[in-house]
Amino acid sequence: MVAVTPETGPDTALGTDGTDGTGMTATADLGAQLAAAFDAAVAADERVEPRDWMPEQYRATLVRQMAQHAHSEIIGMQPEANWITRAPSLRRKAILMAKVQDEAGHGLYLYSAAETLGTSRDELLDKLHSGKQKYSSIFNYPTLTWADVGAIGWLVDGAAITNQVPICRCSYGPYARAMVRICKEESFHQRQGFELLMALSKGTEEQHAMAQDAVNRWWWPSLMMFGPPDDESAHSAQSMAWRIKRHSNDELRQRFVDIAVPQAESLGLTLPDPDLKWNEERGHHDFGAIDWAEFWDVLKGNGPCNEQRIGQRRRAHEEGAWVRDAAAAYAQKQAAQQAAKHAGANEEARV
Amino acid sequence: MTGTDTGAATVTAAALALGDDALILSHRLGEWAGHAPVLEEEVALANIALDLLGQARILLSMVGDEDELAFLREERSFRNLQLVEQPNGDFAHTIARQLYFSVHQHELYAELARGEGPFAPLAAKAVKETAYHRDHAEQWTLRLGDGTEESRARMQAALQALWKFTGELFQPVEGLGGVDWAALEERWLAALTDVVERAGLTLPEGPRTGAWAAGAGRQGLHTESFGRMLAEMQHLHRSHPGASW
Amino acid sequence: MTQNWPLWEVFVRSRRGLSHTHAGSLHAPDAEMALRNARDLYTRRNEGISIWVVPSTAVTASSPDERDPFFAPSADKPYRHPTFYDIPEGVSHL
């Protein structure tokens, strides 16, 4: 038996490993050791949990990514909620309400995952409202017809799932766990979108045209959802090393195109890209050039709905402040009453 | 015995009345999506809206094709209470509307569930849902009433504004002949008085049975905002006659 | 003056016979609302039959580092596991 005593803990390592006896070197060494241990653990596909030591940059990257992801979920409620009151059948209405509700739920899962890193939801919401943190640019496009609800489900959620499935294996435990839950629920979203478009495509001429028009408008923005090409992506390399990201933007984009092409065929709809064709040699579909100027422009705030989306979000938050305050005030009063009652009871007990 | 009028016509009338209540209130709650005061409440309001929509679909299907009934009827053919069609207003108005309606619906469904009429199976399922809706409304009434000065004032104003629509809740519904409406009203008043008092609010005074509110919705007389709501709800379906979705 | 609602940890029992497991967290002004929010958020697909909510601040955790030697001592006591012992073939119910 080997006696394991507390002396082998990291606290004593700090004392014994310092070579010149000054705290400085010891601390620097410890930092290096921790970083090396962290890198090794991540490389071995171990999960990082909230209270583990982690590089500041890793923490910052995760908070940024999880926040952006959460913001996208809640801003993403708007373009679809736009059609809840006009859904053309009660069945579709129920489906759409459940879907938009899921998005609020997904936002909640992700905010709570982000909160494990010592930030608060209010802080993150403030950053969203002030424009300091972004959300997915796709939601700055308008939903002009009912078919857009289908196109969002099929293409936007399809692209999101392609992006998100690998995050279920993200190195950060809480994020990975939230994504497992989300991905399970998302597959309903994509299916309902596909089914909605199928009904339109097989419906009347007007319905078919509506579906085609929606796909024409949502196809390119969906491809942009995977982010800039690999050689221009600012955060990609480090995120891959840290296993926050598992595949490059271009890889995922290609995967999505390859999945979407046959699905479009079975929908009886075309994709608006004359250069889209199967490349036998690569074993993938080639596709046309993406208009990155548009992408950057929308990202900068010049999309058709940027102001509208953030405006509605801010308004909902501001107009809800009195409700949140009321509930907080009520809770305080109740707690105070409880405390007084306890004190009273103790008093009586003594008497 | 409760709900034993089983004549086809009267069952239809009752199913329309209850179904339209659920359909229209669900629609109003659906308008909150993306506008709720806090994310948790987005989820809660959507849950209630989905429960109600589910009830509406079952009830309307007892009468005919649910979509034809929802999307192709004119305003004057809807049989819902005027209360449920009232615009959302601020969160306090929505909660007051929920409180008035869900206490009523819970008490009514509990009674129907105990009977053997055609609505007993639906009511047995729905009574669990409405119990939750009622709880949600009561919890929020307490918090808004006993929260801040502002929330108390808003909640009191909301209770007052919707009060005049509450008399209609107890007008007998054709096809629900077995229901003791007077006893239902008594239970409703007692429950309302209790929660409103616990919330530090006062039960509004004033008429609940004015010329335009005494059972008017049940006879197809609605308020102005309802037409606009229906226009929005029905336009897409009506723009494509005969299409399936 | 907006006051932030505290954070709650949510535990859900998915069915009878299983223990409550951590499902995630949420914000609520008080315990009653936390329970209701948890019901709406974490069991809307029929995932549970019982819920606990605990203020996040009430959780005391073992150590700041989850890879810490706090748990190492239990790794070298194989005699605590039944597979440690050799049993001759043919002996059953053991």
Side-chain angles (χ1 to χ4, degrees), chain B residues 125-236:
Chain B
K125 172 178 178 285
V127 76
K128 293 179 197 155
E129 297 169 350
T130 55
Y132 186 75
H133 305 170
R134 174 181 180 161
D135 176 68
H136 175 265
E138 290 181 352
Q139 294 295 334
W140 272 112
T141 301
L142 293 177
R143 280 158 184 78
L144 298 184
D146 194 16
T148 64
E149 263 314 298
E150 179 181 7
S151 69
R152 200 195 59 76
R154 283 179 184 259
M155 192 62 211
Q156 188 63 56
L159 288 174
Q160 186 64 52
L162 294 171
W163 183 246
K164 67 177 174 194
F165 298 107
T166 58
E168 196 185 355
L169 296 169
F170 310 101
Q171 296 296 314
V173 174
E174 195 192 345
L176 300 182
V179 174
D180 183 345
W181 296 95
L184 187 69
E185 180 163 18
E186 234 170 76
R187 291 203 299 280
W188 182 87
L189 256 181
L192 256 292
T193 306
D194 173 61
V195 66
V196 160
E197 272 175 13
R198 277 192 292 139
L201 298 160
T202 49
L203 207 60
E205 287 172 19
R208 299 197 284 136
T209 51
W212 275 84
R218 293 280 187 238
Q219 282 142 50
L221 271 182
H222 296 281
T223 48
E224 282 191 350
S225 66
F226 185 53
R228 225 170 269 280
M229 196 210 96
L230 280 188
E232 183 175 343
M233 181 173 112
Q234 296 182 335
H235 103 272
L236 177 59

Side-chain angles (χ1 to χ4, degrees), chain A residues 1-2 9 41 46-47 49 51-52 101-102 105 108-109 112 115 121-122 181 185 188 321 324-325 327-328 330-332, chain C residues 1-5 7 23 25-27 29-30 41-42 44-45 47 61-69 73 76 79:
Chain A
M1 277 253 308
V2 180
E46 238 188 76
R47 291 285 181 275
E49 294 297 341
R51 292 139 47 87
D52 287 339
Q101 183 196 38
D102 270 353
L108 283 169
Y109 302 156
S112 70
E115 283 180 283
R121 191 204 300 176
D122 291 274
R181 194 179 268 274
E185 300 182 352
F188 134 59
R324 300 190 299 276
D325 287 346
Y330 176 85
Q332 277 172 8
Chain C
M1 70 145 264
T2 302
Q3 310 163 44
N4 300 340
W5 289 359
L7 193 65
S25 63
L26 50 72
H27 287 268
D30 52 53
L41 182 61
Y42 288 106
R44 66 189 189 286
R45 283 184 172 74
E47 294 102 328
S62 51
S63 77
D65 187 338
E66 298 193 359
R67 281 195 209 87
D68 145 294
D76 67 345
Y79 46 80

Side-chain angles (χ1 to χ4, degrees), chain B residues 9-238:
Chain B
T10 54
V11 169
T12 294
L16 270 186
L18 301 180
D20 285 350
D21 284 348
L23 176 71
I24 301 306
L25 186 55
S26 165
H27 184 95
R28 283 298 190 202
L29 290 172
E31 292 174 354
W32 271 105
H35 299 274
V38 63
L39 272 177
E40 279 81 359
E41 209 50 36
E42 292 278 359
V43 182
L45 292 170
N47 262 353
I48 297 171
L50 281 168
D51 285 345
L52 289 167
L53 185 52
Q55 295 167 11
R57 295 182 65 190
I58 293 171
L59 286 159
L60 294 182
S61 297
M62 291 170 75
V63 179
D65 179 85
E66 60 176 30
D67 287 335
E68 268 178 40
L69 288 165
F71 296 103
L72 298 178
R73 268 183 302 160
E74 298 287 335
E75 175 173 348
R76 298 278 273 111
S77 307
F78 276 84
R79 291 290 177 262
N80 55 283
L81 299 160
Q82 290 185 350
L83 174 67
V84 297
E85 75 202 32
Q86 296 310 307
N88 287 337
D90 65 2
F91 189 68
H93 277 74
T94 289
I95 290 302
R97 193 183 59 198
Q98 284 302 113
L99 181 70
Y100 289 158
F101 181 73
S102 62
V103 173
H104 156 80
Q105 200 196 18
H106 184 233
E107 294 290 342
L108 175 62
Y109 278 20
E111 190 166 339
L112 292 176
R114 283 193 295 270
E116 287 163 4
F119 298 103
L122 164 93
K125 172 178 178 285
V127 76
K128 293 179 197 155
E129 297 169 350
T130 55
Y132 186 75
H133 305 170
R134 174 181 180 161
D135 176 68
H136 175 265
E138 290 181 352
Q139 294 295 334
W140 272 112
T141 301
L142 293 177
R143 280 158 184 78
L144 298 184
D146 194 16
T148 64
E149 263 314 298
E150 179 181 7
S151 69
R152 200 195 59 76
R154 283 179 184 259
M155 192 62 211
Q156 188 63 56
L159 288 174
Q160 186 64 52
L162 294 171
W163 183 246
K164 67 177 174 194
F165 298 107
T166 58
E168 196 185 355
L169 296 169
F170 310 101
Q171 296 296 314
V173 174
E174 195 192 345
L176 300 182
V179 174
D180 183 345
W181 296 95
L184 187 69
E185 180 163 18
E186 234 170 76
R187 291 203 299 280
W188 182 87
L189 256 181
L192 256 292
T193 306
D194 173 61
V195 66
V196 160
E197 272 175 13
R198 277 192 292 139
L201 298 160
T202 49
L203 207 60
E205 287 172 19
R208 299 197 284 136
T209 51
W212 275 84
R218 293 280 187 238
Q219 282 142 50
L221 271 182
H222 296 281
T223 48
E224 282 191 350
S225 66
F226 185 53
R228 225 170 269 280
M229 196 210 96
L230 280 188
E232 183 175 343
M233 181 173 112
Q234 296 182 335
H235 103 272
L236 177 59
H237 184 96
R238 284 174 178 255

Side-chain angles (χ1 to χ4, degrees), chain A residues 25-36:
Chain A
T25 317
T27 310
D29 277 0
L30 178 68
Q33 270 178 26
L34 287 169

